[in-house]
């Protein structure tokens, strides 16, 4: 993976917890918003229906009263006035009834002998005359007019109490607004205006029975986060808490579960993985015959990290392939200046895993290793680990055939532990068998382990393959293995793993040079 892509992934990794929390918030808040909007529209539709029905009932009742009173215009005011007063007294929704004859007021239910319509009333009379029965609000807004073709120039005005409409137009919730519109006037439960108020999420409906008005209902505020929190605070709090929980869980997961992968990926690209060499000694001569390459992570903050902490992650994620390539490149560059003068058959071993056996890339990497050395004086050894079971497929068969064609030796590492499989000896044409250090460490103390160790050594003799004992730490162990005919020895008794650049300065390596 190229560094630019890696940096992008690292940035994405840092943003990922925030993105998860943001996604939950968007989904949660959107769901709550949609629910609130739908519920608000349903509530508005119900309100419109209720208000329109009440207004229709009010106007129908007033219209009936007006039609009933209209014939009284033919009578004298002294006779009509008591009747008008009685009608008004029995109907709280009517403030007054005024009778006009020939467009001139002549009788009223109010206690006054001088009935004079206001300037607005006169204007309305001009607009709706002749032959009109009018219903007006307190300040002369026309609610309805009906024509009687049999009565010319005779008009009755019914003045409706504003309180009657106010009771109908009172909002059901504090943020709701209900308006009643007649011509250029807008009536709310608070006032009568010529300019309509701003209404959000409004819905309009007209009279069900044909009166000339419009009901428009909505809300005085837009449906924003503040309003959502006011009416749906608990769901919003729960969504927010869940988003925070998801943020911290995701962050913890990335930092504690997947961080090793990303850090290891960074380490490989930044050359923080260093090649260490541990000498392999010929058991008979006691001389250096090769090295096994081991990986150490030089972490900028944590120091040197053991391979047990990151190799399993590398094997599971596939990073073991670029990691091995990095080690091969460093070793080839370090040994290249000495490749032509080093003793023949000096071998360099690299560990591989199951991931390496899933393609032919390993063969190409080995070719690249030899190309960098510019000589075949150094033998390459590929050590198969038994931590993961390698399936024998057409790909693996072709891979190991190519490796053998390149004269590369195959060693079976960690024999006796993990996924031990004796069929490997034949399937992959094993050249070396490496005895695990857990058996070597029990020499002289555990009879059972000693017997197992002796059996493993006997298998190598019977199969005529060479053996290498790992983890030799004492002279007693070394002598026992030499006496049993083990071919090679490796362990801290001879040398711990050291950086490859330090190894080429050691006496072990200098003695291998033909100068």
């Amino acid at each position: 993976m190229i560094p630019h892509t890696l940096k992008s992934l690292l940035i994405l990794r840092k943003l990922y917890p925030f993105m998860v929390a943001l996604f939950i918030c968007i989904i949660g808040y959107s769901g709550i918003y949609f629910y609130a909007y739908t519920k608000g529209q349903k509530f508005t539709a119900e309100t419109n229906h209720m208000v329109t029905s009440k207004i229709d009932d009010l106007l129908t009742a007033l219209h009936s009263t007006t039609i009933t009173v209209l014939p009284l215009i033919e009578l004298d005011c002294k006779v009509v006035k008591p009747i008008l007063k009685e009608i008004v007294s029995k109907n709280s929704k009517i403030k007054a009834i005024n009778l006009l004859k020939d467009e001139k007021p002549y009788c009223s239910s109010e206690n006054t002998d001088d009935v004079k319509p206001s300037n607005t009333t006169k204007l309305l009379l001009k607009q709706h005359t002749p032959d009109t029965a009018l219903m007006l609000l307190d300040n002369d807004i026309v609610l309805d007019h009906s024509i009687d073709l049999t009565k010319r120039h005779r008009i009755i005005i019914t003045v409706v109490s504003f309180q009657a409409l106010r009771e109908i137009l009172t909002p059901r919730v504090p943020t709701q607004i209900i308006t009643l519109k007649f011509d250029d006037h807008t009536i709310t439960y608070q006032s009568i205006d010529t300019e309509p108020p701003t209404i959000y999420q409004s819905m309009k409906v007209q009279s069900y029975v044909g009166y000339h008005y419009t009901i428009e209902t909505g809300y005085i505020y837009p449906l924003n986060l503040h309003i959502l929190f006011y009416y749906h605070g608990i769901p919003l709090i729960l969504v927010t808490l869940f988003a925070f929980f998801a943020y911290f869980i995701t962050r913890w997961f990335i930092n504690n579960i997947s961080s090793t992968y990303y850090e290891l990926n960074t380490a490989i690209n930044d050359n923080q993985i260093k090649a260490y060499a541990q000498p392999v000694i010929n058991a008979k001569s006691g001389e250096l015959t090769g090295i096994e390459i081991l990986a150490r992570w030089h972490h900028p903050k944590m120091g040197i990290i053991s391979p047990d902490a990151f190799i399993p992650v590398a094997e599971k994620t596939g990073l073991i392939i670029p990691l091995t390539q990095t080690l091969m490149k460093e070793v080839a560059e370090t040994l290249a200046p000495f490749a032509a003068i080093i003793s023949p058959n000096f071998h360099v071993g690299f560990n591989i895993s199951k991931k390496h056996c899933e393609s032919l890339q390993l063969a190409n990497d080995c070719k690249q290793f030899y190309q960098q050395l510019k000589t075949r004086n150094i033998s390459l050894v590929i050590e198969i680990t038994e931590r993961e079971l390698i399936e024998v497929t057409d790909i693996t068969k072709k891979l190991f055939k190519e490796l053998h064609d390149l004269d590369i030796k195959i060693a079976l590492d960690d024999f006796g532990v993990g996924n031990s499989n004796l069929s490997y000896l034949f399937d992959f044409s094993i050249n070396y068998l490496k005895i695990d250090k857990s058996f070597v460490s029990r020499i002289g103390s555990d009879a059972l382990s000693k017997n197992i160790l002796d059996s493993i050594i006997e298998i190598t003799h019977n199969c005529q393959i060479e053996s290498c004992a790992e983890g030799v730490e004492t002279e007693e162990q070394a002598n026992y293995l030499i006496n049993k005919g083990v071919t090679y020895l490796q362990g801290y008794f001879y040398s711990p793993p050291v950086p490859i650049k330090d190894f080429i300065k050691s006496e072990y390596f200098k003695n291998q040079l033909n100068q």
Side-chain angles (χ1 to χ4, degrees), residues 88-289:
V88 172
S89 65
K90 291 182 179 180
N91 194 333
S92 61
K93 295 180 175 58
I94 299 176
K95 183 178 180 180
I97 299 176
N98 301 321
L99 301 182
L100 285 76
K101 183 183 293 184
D102 296 327
E103 301 184 17
K104 295 180 181 180
Y106 84 99
C107 191
S108 173
S109 62
E110 295 180 317
N111 294 321
T112 176
D113 295 330
D114 186 17
V115 182
K116 295 181 179 180
S118 65
N119 292 332
T120 308
T121 300
K122 292 179 181 179
L123 178 60
L124 291 171
L125 293 178
K126 291 179 180 178
Q127 292 175 340
H128 295 282
T129 55
D131 314 322
T132 304
L134 297 175
M135 290 183 291
L136 290 86
L137 201 57
D138 289 0
N139 62 344
D140 305 326
I141 296 177
V142 177
L143 298 183
D144 181 65
H145 60 89
S146 56
I147 300 174
D148 183 356
L149 298 176
T150 64
K151 306 296 181 182
R152 304 290 297 176
H153 305 290
R154 296 176 182 183
I155 300 173
I156 180 171
I157 299 176
T158 302
V159 181
V160 182
S161 171
F162 176 72
Q163 185 61 31
L165 290 178
R166 184 175 184 181
E167 293 175 0
I168 298 174
L169 299 176
T170 300
R172 298 168 64 189
V173 293
T175 57
Q176 190 180 54
I177 182 171
I178 306 170
T179 62
L180 173 62
K181 296 184 178 181
F182 289 102
D183 297 328
D184 296 331
H185 293 81
T186 300
I187 306 170
T188 66
Y189 83 105
Q190 290 179 323
S191 62
I192 302 171
D193 301 301
T194 56
E195 293 294 331
T198 302
I199 303 177
Y200 298 94
Q201 293 177 255
S202 65
M203 296 181 68
K204 296 180 181 181
V205 64
Q206 294 181 335
S207 169
Y208 295 146
V209 293
Y211 293 115
H212 301 289
Y213 71 85
T214 301
I215 297 295
E216 183 176 6
T217 304
Y219 299 92
I220 58 178
Y221 302 112
L223 187 58
N224 52 30
L225 189 61
H226 180 267
I227 298 299
L228 284 175
F229 190 82
Y230 183 84
Y231 287 102
H232 306 281
I234 293 178
L236 283 175
I237 291 174
L238 291 177
V239 169
T240 303
L241 291 177
F242 184 69
F244 273 106
F245 178 77
Y247 172 84
F248 287 110
I249 286 295
T250 306
R251 184 176 178 182
W252 177 87
F253 178 83
I254 289 176
N255 290 338
N256 293 276
I257 304 299
S258 63
S259 62
T260 304
Y261 169 81
Y262 288 102
E263 289 186 19
L264 182 57
N265 201 347
T266 303
I268 294 172
N269 286 278
D270 291 347
N271 295 318
Q272 295 176 15
I273 306 299
K274 301 298 182 181
Y276 275 56
Q278 186 171 36
V280 176
I281 305 300
N282 186 298
K284 290 184 178 180
S285 66
E287 295 180 352
L288 176 72
T289 60

Side-chain angles (χ1 to χ4, degrees), residues 221-506:
Y221 302 112
L223 187 58
N224 52 30
L225 189 61
H226 180 267
I227 298 299
L228 284 175
F229 190 82
Y230 183 84
Y231 287 102
H232 306 281
I234 293 178
L236 283 175
I237 291 174
L238 291 177
V239 169
T240 303
L241 291 177
F242 184 69
F244 273 106
F245 178 77
Y247 172 84
F248 287 110
I249 286 295
T250 306
R251 184 176 178 182
W252 177 87
F253 178 83
I254 289 176
N255 290 338
N256 293 276
I257 304 299
S258 63
S259 62
T260 304
Y261 169 81
Y262 288 102
E263 289 186 19
L264 182 57
N265 201 347
T266 303
I268 294 172
N269 286 278
D270 291 347
N271 295 318
Q272 295 176 15
I273 306 299
K274 301 298 182 181
Y276 275 56
Q278 186 171 36
V280 176
I281 305 300
N282 186 298
K284 290 184 178 180
S285 66
E287 295 180 352
L288 176 72
T289 60
I291 55 176
E292 179 183 0
I293 299 301
L294 304 171
R296 296 293 185 271
W297 184 352
H298 286 219
H299 196 283
K301 295 182 179 179
M302 300 174 63
I304 299 176
I305 300 177
S306 170
D308 293 337
F310 62 88
I311 291 298
V313 176
E315 290 177 338
K316 290 179 180 178
T317 60
L319 289 177
I320 191 65
I321 294 176
L323 187 150
T324 305
Q325 291 171 340
T326 300
L327 295 178
M328 283 186 165
K329 180 180 179 182
E330 182 183 359
V331 172
E333 290 176 348
T334 304
L335 296 181
F338 310 98
I341 59 174
I342 200 168
S343 297
N345 299 321
F346 182 84
H347 60 260
V348 178
F350 291 92
N351 291 280
I352 66 168
S353 71
K354 178 182 178 181
K355 291 291 184 182
H356 288 94
C357 301
E358 294 176 354
S359 70
L360 302 178
Q361 181 61 43
L362 178 61
N364 295 328
D365 294 337
C366 293
K367 293 176 183 177
Q368 182 68 27
F369 179 82
Y370 280 129
Q371 288 176 0
Q372 288 181 286
L373 288 178
K374 298 179 181 179
T375 179
R376 291 296 184 95
N377 204 25
I378 295 176
S379 297
L380 191 57
V381 179
I382 296 300
E383 300 184 12
I384 305 173
T385 178
E386 290 196 329
R387 283 189 294 267
E388 296 177 294
L389 182 63
I390 300 175
E391 297 180 3
V392 180
T393 64
D394 291 339
I395 291 292
T396 55
K397 290 179 180 179
K398 185 175 182 180
L399 172 64
F400 282 94
K401 182 181 183 304
E402 288 194 21
L403 294 177
H404 281 294
D405 291 342
L406 292 171
D407 199 24
I408 295 173
K409 306 300 181 183
I410 308 297
L412 186 58
D413 198 10
D414 303 323
F415 187 80
V417 297
N419 296 290
S420 295
N421 194 337
L422 291 174
S423 65
Y424 283 177
L425 298 177
F426 308 100
D427 293 331
F428 303 136
S429 300
I430 300 298
N431 303 108
Y432 301 94
L433 193 153
K434 302 195 73 171
I435 303 170
D436 189 73
K437 62 183 179 181
S438 61
F439 298 109
V440 176
S441 64
R442 291 186 175 93
I443 292 176
S445 61
D446 189 331
L448 178 60
S449 296
K450 173 179 171 295
N451 292 333
I452 295 174
L453 175 60
D454 291 345
S455 298
I456 295 174
I457 297 173
E458 186 176 355
I459 289 174
T460 64
H461 292 161
N462 293 335
C463 295
Q464 296 182 349
I465 59 177
E466 295 182 311
S467 60
C468 176
E470 297 181 302
V472 181
E473 297 183 353
T474 66
E475 185 176 0
E476 179 188 3
Q477 294 170 352
N479 291 333
Y480 182 87
L481 294 167
I482 292 171
N483 292 332
K484 287 294 181 179
V486 173
T487 313
Y488 303 107
L489 303 176
Q490 176 183 348
Y492 276 70
F493 179 69
Y494 298 100
S495 172
V498 296
I500 186 67
K501 297 185 184 303
D502 293 337
F503 173 76
I504 60 175
K505 300 175 184 177
S506 67

Side-chain angles (χ1 to χ4, degrees), residues 8-38:
S8 300
L9 286 175
L10 292 174
I11 293 174
L12 182 62
R13 173 173 167 259
K14 292 180 180 179
L15 291 177
Y16 191 72
F18 173 77
M19 293 170 65
V20 170
L22 181 62
F23 177 77
I24 292 174
C25 287
I26 291 174
I27 296 298
Y29 293 163
S30 297
I32 294 173
Y33 179 90
F34 179 77
Y35 171 79
Y37 181 86
T38 304

